[in-house]
Amino acid sequence: MILDRSEVAQRSRAGDRYAFNYDQAKADLARMSRGISQYLSPSRAQPRDASQLSGAYQVDQRGKQE
């Protein structure tokens, strides 16, 4: 997946103040994929998951401890 390659490239760039939140982006993409699959082949009519996608993928690196 392109996010995996980008995440590896970002790890090699130390010192950036902000970083992309790859875990949140992957979780949102997985949720969208599940929603599309359920829409295309529902087993029966069910209510949709009403939780919202995060949409926030920027992480402030200043407070990060390693």
Side-chain angles (χ1 to χ4, degrees):
M1 175 185 280
I2 195 165
L3 282 178
D4 295 327
R5 289 184 296 217
S6 181
E7 184 176 16
V8 170
Q10 178 186 345
R11 286 182 189 162
S12 66
R13 291 188 339 239
D16 290 346
R17 179 175 175 182
Y18 293 101
F20 191 81
N21 189 339
Y22 288 95
D23 292 332
Q24 186 63 55
K26 289 176 187 179
D28 284 353
L29 286 173
R31 184 171 178 276
M32 286 187 278
S33 180
R34 283 190 309 272
I36 291 168
S37 294
Q38 290 172 356
Y39 176 80
L40 294 176
S41 58
S43 58
R44 60 185 172 97
Q46 298 183 27
R48 298 281 183 232
D49 181 6
S51 63
Q52 295 183 355
L53 300 175
S54 167
Y57 308 115
Q58 186 171 318
V59 180
D60 187 349
Q61 296 288 70
R62 287 185 296 172
K64 184 178 178 183
Q65 297 179 2
E66 297 192 30

